[in-house]
Amino acid sequence: MAHEAQKAIARQSLLLKSLPDQHVDTLLSHAIWRSYDRGETIFLQEEEAKAVHVVLAGWVKLFRMSPTGAEAVVSVFTRGESFGEAVALRNVPYPVSAEAVSACEVMHIPSPLLLSLMKEDPEIGVSILASTFTHLHSLVAQLEQLKAQTGAQRVAEFLLNLCDAKPDGCDVELPYDKMLIAGRLGMKPESLSRAFSRLKTVGVQINRNHAVISDIERLRDYAESDPSDK
Amino acid sequence: MAHEAQKAIARQSLLLKSLPDQHVDTLLSHAIWRSYDRGETIFLQEEEAKAVHVVLAGWVKLFRMSPTGAEAVVSVFTRGESFGEAVALRNVPYPVSAEAVSACEVMHIPSPLLLSLMKEDPEIGVSILASTFTHLHSLVAQLEQLKAQTGAQRVAEFLLNLCDAKPDGCDVELPYDKMLIAGRLGMKPESLSRAFSRLKTVGVQINRNHAVISDIERLRDYAESDPSDK
DNA sequence: CTTGCAACATGACAATAGTCAAGTTGAAGC
DNA sequence: GCTTCAACTTGACTATTGTCATGTTGCAAG
């Protein structure tokens, strides 16, 4: 069953962290805990949602297949992040598919349980809205990036997010393979390669899945500069 | 104050239509009713959300300004549609700005009222999640379009949505001006013009803000065909 | 160790979209 | 009615990205 370490991660997730301990215990004890291999499907687009999912370890991608078979990556989640909240509570089909992109551990909270707890304590609804809002926000940010930035600039932002609040000069590991990064940023792997070489001119070195950023501010300027004057 | 006609529209909105009449009456009687001129700001990005907004007439756009000043249109709402749900209940700043793109009527439901009603009846939380999910879904669809379709194909889908379920051969009015359509579809006005002329070859005629689609199925095929084999 | 494969890089080319500039047109204001 | 302006269209050009082909590399199965 579930290890204590996993439960600890689940408790820190955005979905659960603001809930009273009592409810969290109920949810954790009724949750389903599962491992997935790399490449395994967690659920498919159009399938009916029966649970909310919390990633405890590894990486999960949400993606959509267009009628032509092209795949558009919508988001990528890792430890402590949850998805499927808004869908699970409405008994509607998933708008996306979910797949493990590395070996991973996922906790599934059955939606009927969540619904019944919600009737007792409206605070749960607020918690769910909180994580749903976070997703909404990140989709909006992605839309802005796609519409207003070039490929290389999106890659720059992606790298900046990886080194987050670190001070100056920065080494980061790329969290998943370049094909997935390309999908997440809405470009082909070849374009990602070229974007990386372009970023060499603003002090970024890529070696395998390791990136060295010599000057974070310079990279930030590049990401936020007007695409037309470069 | 509010006309009965406006209240009737509000009752039919996705946000309110599944709520018990009693709650709806409470909400309507405490709501703020306002008119906006074309171009007027409804709220600004980073402002703190104090209400949920329901459009009763006219058109409203949500957009984001990137640091460089480029504007990315996130969505466009009209009669019966609501926005700001997830944000209002969390006391967080709006991730987008809202502006009237035509003269319009908007109802504002103060969020504290919604929160207190939600504590009495969790059904309200479900209703809010319902409309939030709708937005989430439409953002996901937009992302897929941007990542997997060419400009002309996005325009084709936009036209198809306008004539919705009508049978065969179809006249539609473009709901707002072409600059806004271009923004909504993530392209420049010039590119929209060219996309329209390209669609002539699949039986679409554009005249001012009026579009004639001679064969809906042909347009659908075009929109869903692989961009690489055309 | 070797074979085979998938990820990744790079070059050449085509398609697509953005930029800049020059027109046209239609509607609002005078 | 005329003026003016912004929306829109079109053309020429450029930049960016996708496509296809080729080659390298590193890892894992045998």
Side-chain angles (χ1 to χ4, degrees):
Chain A
M1 206 68 202
H3 299 77
E4 285 313 309
Q6 293 190 330
K7 291 198 176 181
I9 294 165
R11 280 175 204 278
Q12 289 161 26
S13 69
L14 177 59
L15 181 64
L16 301 180
K17 72 177 176 196
S18 58
L19 290 181
D21 282 347
Q22 174 206 342
H23 291 322
V24 176
D25 291 338
T26 311
L27 290 170
L28 291 185
S29 64
H30 290 80
I32 297 158
W33 308 73
R34 261 210 66 178
S35 299
Y36 292 86
D37 290 334
R38 176 193 166 99
E40 210 173 332
T41 296
I42 298 176
F43 55 74
L44 287 173
Q45 197 168 321
E46 308 307 336
E47 223 173 272
E48 196 182 291
K50 298 194 185 65
V52 171
H53 315 272
V54 183
V55 183
L56 305 172
W59 293 86
V60 173
K61 76 170 171 191
L62 301 192
F63 62 102
R64 244 177 103 89
M65 288 304 253
S66 73
T68 66
E71 171 185 310
V73 177
V74 173
S75 30
V76 181
F77 293 106
T78 189
R79 171 196 299 206
E81 297 174 326
S82 57
F83 54 94
E85 296 89 349
V87 202
L89 297 186
R90 306 226 53 242
N91 284 334
V92 288
Y94 288 112
V96 295
S97 302
E99 182 188 307
V101 292
S102 70
C104 54
E105 303 287 325
V106 183
M107 176 180 83
H108 306 277
I109 303 174
S111 39
L113 172 62
L114 213 49
L115 264 175
S116 66
L117 272 187
M118 195 169 146
K119 292 207 173 104
E120 292 170 27
D121 184 354
E123 199 53 38
I124 300 205
V126 174
S127 242
I128 295 169
L129 273 164
S131 32
T132 303
F133 168 72
T134 304
H135 296 165
L136 206 63
H137 196 346
S138 89
L139 291 183
V140 166
Q142 250 191 88
L143 270 181
E144 177 195 330
Q145 287 190 4
L146 276 175
K147 286 180 175 174
Q149 292 184 308
T150 68
Q153 287 180 308
R154 299 200 295 277
V155 175
E157 290 238 322
F158 180 82
L159 291 175
L160 288 167
N161 284 335
L162 285 180
C163 50
D164 230 15
K166 291 187 194 174
D168 185 87
C170 188
D171 285 23
V172 289
E173 299 297 319
L174 302 182
Y176 31 82
D177 70 27
K178 294 184 184 173
M179 291 194 66
L180 181 55
I181 296 176
R184 161 69 238 287
L185 298 176
M187 56 178 99
K188 300 286 151 180
E190 293 96 324
S191 297
L192 179 65
S193 270
R194 292 182 180 117
F196 276 140
S197 28
R198 221 182 272 204
L199 292 183
K200 280 177 193 163
T201 66
V202 284
V204 175
Q205 284 295 328
I206 305 285
N207 200 291
R208 306 198 130 289
N209 65 342
H210 189 85
V212 181
I213 298 161
S214 61
D215 183 346
I216 293 191
E217 281 314 315
R218 189 141 68 107
L219 189 58
R220 201 185 311 276
D221 285 350
Y222 177 87
E224 296 185 350
S225 67
D226 194 322
S228 64
D229 49 52
K230 268 202 315 293
Chain B
M1 206 70 202
H3 298 78
E4 284 313 309
Q6 293 189 331
K7 291 197 174 181
I9 295 165
R11 280 175 205 278
Q12 289 160 28
S13 68
L14 176 60
L15 181 64
L16 301 179
K17 71 177 175 195
S18 58
L19 289 181
D21 281 346
Q22 174 207 342
H23 291 322
V24 176
D25 291 339
T26 311
L27 290 171
L28 291 184
S29 64
H30 290 80
I32 296 158
W33 308 74
R34 260 210 67 179
S35 299
Y36 293 87
D37 290 333
R38 176 193 166 99
E40 210 174 331
T41 296
I42 298 176
F43 56 74
L44 287 173
Q45 196 168 322
E46 308 306 337
E47 223 173 271
E48 195 182 293
K50 299 193 184 67
V52 172
H53 314 272
V54 183
V55 183
L56 304 173
W59 292 87
V60 173
K61 77 170 171 189
L62 300 192
F63 62 102
R64 246 177 99 89
M65 288 304 253
S66 71
T68 67
E71 170 185 310
V73 177
V74 173
S75 32
V76 181
F77 294 105
T78 189
R79 170 195 300 207
E81 297 174 327
S82 56
F83 54 94
E85 296 89 348
V87 202
L89 297 185
R90 305 228 52 242
N91 284 333
V92 288
Y94 287 112
V96 295
S97 301
E99 182 187 308
V101 292
S102 69
C104 54
E105 302 288 325
V106 182
M107 176 180 83
H108 306 276
I109 303 174
S111 40
L113 173 63
L114 214 48
L115 263 174
S116 67
L117 272 187
M118 196 169 146
K119 292 208 173 102
E120 291 170 29
D121 183 355
E123 200 54 37
I124 300 204
V126 175
S127 244
I128 295 168
L129 274 164
S131 32
T132 303
F133 168 71
T134 304
H135 296 166
L136 206 64
H137 196 347
S138 89
L139 292 183
V140 166
Q142 249 192 89
L143 272 180
E144 178 195 330
Q145 287 189 6
L146 276 174
K147 287 180 176 175
Q149 292 184 308
T150 68
Q153 288 180 308
R154 299 199 295 276
V155 175
E157 290 237 322
F158 181 81
L159 291 175
L160 288 168
N161 285 335
L162 286 181
C163 49
D164 229 16
K166 290 187 194 174
D168 185 86
C170 189
D171 285 22
V172 290
E173 299 296 321
L174 301 182
Y176 32 82
D177 71 26
K178 294 186 186 173
M179 289 194 68
L180 181 55
I181 296 177
R184 160 71 239 286
L185 297 176
M187 56 178 99
K188 300 286 151 181
E190 294 96 323
S191 297
L192 180 65
S193 268
R194 294 185 176 114
F196 277 140
S197 30
R198 223 184 269 205
L199 293 183
K200 282 178 191 161
T201 66
V202 285
V204 176
Q205 283 295 329
I206 305 283
N207 201 290
R208 305 198 127 293
N209 65 341
H210 189 86
V212 181
I213 297 161
S214 60
D215 183 346
I216 294 190
E217 281 313 315
R218 190 142 68 108
L219 189 58
R220 201 185 310 277
D221 284 350
Y222 177 86
E224 297 185 348
S225 67
D226 194 320
S228 64
D229 49 51
K230 268 202 316 292

